[in-house]
Amino acid sequence: MASIARSLQRIKNRSLALEGVLEPDAAERVFREHGHEWRERELPPATTLDLFIRQVIDGNVSCGAVRHGADEAFTGGAYCQARSRLPLAGITGVCMTAARQVRVAYESDGPPLWHGHRTFHVDGTSFSMPDTPALQQTFGQPGGQKPGCGFPVAHLLVSFDAATGMLLDAVPAPMRTHDLRDVRWIHRHLNTGDVLIGDKAFGSWAHMAMLQQAGLHGVFPLHQRRPTCGASDRIERWPKPPLKPAWMSGQEFDALPNELKVRVVRRTIHRRGFRPMTVHLVTTLLDEQTYPAEELIELGRDRWFAELNIRHLKTTMGLDVLKCKSVDGVLKELAVFCLVYNLVRAVMLDASSAQGVSVDRISFADALAHLRHGRGMSTPVRLMTNPLRPTRREPRAIKRRPKEYDRLNRPRDQMRKALKYQEKAA
């Protein structure tokens, strides 16, 4: 079986950055470090992980379809069993280490900074999975669905490097989880002086105080419950709330200061063809001279790129609906999706450098297609460039109508019995 590094050589010049961790010996060493032992089989751990990565690159196809692109003969059931034997900690370790190497390879090129600060985006989303008792118990389902009629849905907190679009972390949790509950896992990737950008859910007193205590900065829309009157660029002192948030422990809350000093910025944005829009931001970047209000507003608007990256993950790559029927399987799928996403971003970064355009204008779908179908090792690769349309607005609406079938409003076994009763009555 070809090595993982060879199967991913379409990453062009950056393939050498992956060779150390994705070679079979290195991958198996990580599995042994996590206590995984195995017998000599047709599908050892490194080969199974290689196939797993190819499976996600090819559109997360079925286990039965994976065997058609392999060099050796095996059944879809054999591959599925081999994948289930891989330890979750080991596969997560390999995938996250490889993703880190990809990011480090591009960070060494010196990504652009914003006033000397690295910037990062954070946002929350969700994904679905098969309806099994274990997944229902672990993640839960939307409250509007009757038992037996809905699918488990997981909450996912993700963070991206704003300069490169690389995925830093993806933290899954039960569906009814606030975005801030796991935000401390996002902070572990940040260094002193880094700036975190998100939506208004992240602009709470407790989170802003956590950032300031750790030497970090935040730029978030002002929460709708905060008063918006006053100067357009002012310093405010927020007293500590009397009650701690549910997602924080009492010890963590007690360690926060009694008062928080923040800066609130208000600007009205005029866009041709649209009504004026007033934007309120709150930030821990207090110096008006070093951080002009207009640039802060523009920085806050860039958080939309997190939404685009999530769309690439869920729609273009297929993370929206995972296929494993066990909790460990779902978490393994998620880890490999994160790795493949960063591999696609690596292709985009190479193409943007060669074509002299911003990486945000390189087509993610075309980069994924190149990683999936591209042949040869010619460099540099040229990918589709999206036109620059900063004022383009499209409604969040679906034009294609769904098929006119009844909704499953009762458990499937009950509806089967009803059909049999109707057939006998007829």
Side-chain angles (χ1 to χ4, degrees):
M1 180 70 66
S3 70
I4 301 172
R6 185 182 303 172
S7 69
L8 298 177
Q9 279 181 350
R10 298 189 186 99
I11 302 176
K12 311 300 185 187
N13 296 336
R14 298 296 178 176
S15 61
L16 296 178
L18 298 172
E19 190 171 359
V21 67
L22 291 182
E23 284 291 343
D25 292 342
E28 291 179 355
R29 183 168 58 252
V30 174
F31 287 129
R32 289 192 179 95
E33 290 173 356
H34 286 86
H36 183 50
E37 298 180 357
W38 61 90
R39 303 195 310 267
E40 290 298 327
R41 304 173 182 266
E42 289 185 355
L43 295 174
T47 300
T48 305
L49 181 58
D50 182 8
L51 294 171
F52 203 167
I53 294 173
R54 297 187 197 181
Q55 181 179 13
V56 172
I57 289 177
D58 290 339
N60 203 19
V61 296
S62 67
C63 291
V66 173
R67 62 190 179 91
H68 296 293
D71 299 335
E72 298 178 7
F74 55 86
T75 63
Y79 165 66
C80 187
Q81 293 178 15
R83 208 176 72 168
S84 66
R85 287 192 295 266
L86 293 177
L88 175 60
I91 194 171
T92 303
V94 172
C95 291
M96 291 299 101
T97 302
R100 192 181 309 115
Q101 276 192 248
V102 173
R103 292 199 308 270
V104 169
Y106 287 93
E107 288 176 357
S108 62
D109 295 340
L113 302 177
W114 185 83
H115 289 286
H117 298 274
R118 297 192 307 168
T119 54
F120 300 89
H121 296 144
V122 61
D123 204 355
T125 184
S126 62
F127 62 90
S128 181
M129 60 202 77
D131 186 12
T132 65
L135 294 176
Q136 285 279 10
Q137 182 178 2
T138 301
F139 297 107
Q141 70 175 28
Q145 296 289 339
K146 298 179 181 178
C149 302
F151 292 95
V153 177
H155 177 270
L156 186 66
L157 184 66
V158 292
S159 63
F160 302 94
D161 178 12
T164 62
M166 289 288 185
L167 178 66
L168 295 178
D169 209 348
V171 186
M175 189 197 70
R176 293 178 180 85
T177 300
H178 195 278
D179 286 345
L180 288 175
R181 195 199 76 169
D182 296 317
V183 74
R184 58 181 60 87
W185 297 104
I186 304 299
H187 293 176
R188 63 182 174 172
H189 297 291
L190 308 181
N191 300 328
T192 301
D194 289 347
V195 179
L196 191 63
I197 307 164
D199 58 29
K200 64 179 62 177
F202 298 92
S204 69
W205 186 96
H207 185 223
M208 299 282 285
M210 286 177 61
L211 290 172
Q212 224 172 47
Q213 191 178 54
L216 305 172
H217 297 286
V219 177
F220 312 108
L222 187 68
H223 197 273
Q224 65 268 17
R225 293 186 179 180
R226 291 279 180 182
T228 58
C229 58
S232 60
D233 194 343
R234 62 190 184 275
I235 301 297
E236 294 185 356
R237 296 183 181 274
W238 291 356
K240 189 173 186 177
L243 299 176
K244 73 173 186 65
W247 52 269
M248 177 179 282
S249 67
Q251 184 177 4
E252 289 176 322
F253 187 70
D254 293 339
L256 297 178
N258 293 325
E259 188 180 65
L260 181 63
K261 188 177 181 181
V262 298
R263 178 182 172 195
V264 177
V265 176
R266 181 181 72 245
R267 286 292 186 274
T268 300
I269 301 175
H270 298 273
R271 299 172 298 167
R272 186 177 180 180
F274 297 89
R275 293 180 179 178
M277 180 176 62
T278 301
V279 177
H280 297 83
L281 286 184
V282 59
T283 179
T284 55
L285 298 166
L286 306 180
D287 192 334
E288 300 178 10
Q289 301 298 324
T290 306
Y291 313 107
E294 287 71 18
E295 295 187 25
L296 279 174
I297 295 293
E298 192 65 29
L299 185 68
R301 291 176 62 186
D302 286 345
R303 68 182 177 86
W304 181 251
F305 286 112
E307 299 280 356
L308 297 180
N309 294 337
I310 289 174
R311 185 186 67 181
H312 295 325
L313 267 170
K314 295 177 62 175
T315 303
T316 309
M317 291 181 57
L319 178 64
D320 191 26
V321 180
L322 297 186
K323 297 182 178 180
C324 284
K325 298 182 179 180
S326 66
V327 176
D328 276 2
V330 165
L331 298 180
K332 293 173 188 178
E333 265 189 289
L334 176 61
V336 178
F337 263 94
C338 293
L339 171 61
V340 173
Y341 170 86
N342 280 341
L343 298 182
V344 177
R345 295 299 303 194
V347 174
M348 295 172 64
L349 287 163
D350 274 344
S352 69
S353 177
Q355 296 173 218
V357 298
S358 170
V359 66
D360 300 319
R361 293 187 57 192
I362 298 296
S363 168
F364 186 95
D366 196 37
L368 178 61
H370 172 74
L371 191 60
R372 182 181 299 167
H373 304 296
R375 296 181 179 180
M377 293 293 293
S378 59
T379 56
V381 58
R382 295 195 63 85
L383 298 177
M384 290 178 56
T385 303
N386 295 321
L388 188 61
R389 295 175 290 187
T391 60
R392 182 173 182 249
R393 299 292 185 272
E394 291 291 339
R396 281 191 167 184
I398 300 174
K399 181 178 179 180
R400 192 174 298 279
R401 272 49 177 173
K403 296 184 182 299
E404 296 181 358
Y405 289 109
D406 294 334
R407 301 296 182 186
L408 189 71
N409 52 20
R410 288 183 293 166
R412 192 175 295 274
D413 58 343
Q414 294 183 16
M415 298 191 74
R416 288 198 190 101
K417 292 178 182 178
L419 287 175
K420 291 181 180 178
Y421 179 78
Q422 293 174 4
E423 291 174 357
K424 290 180 179 179

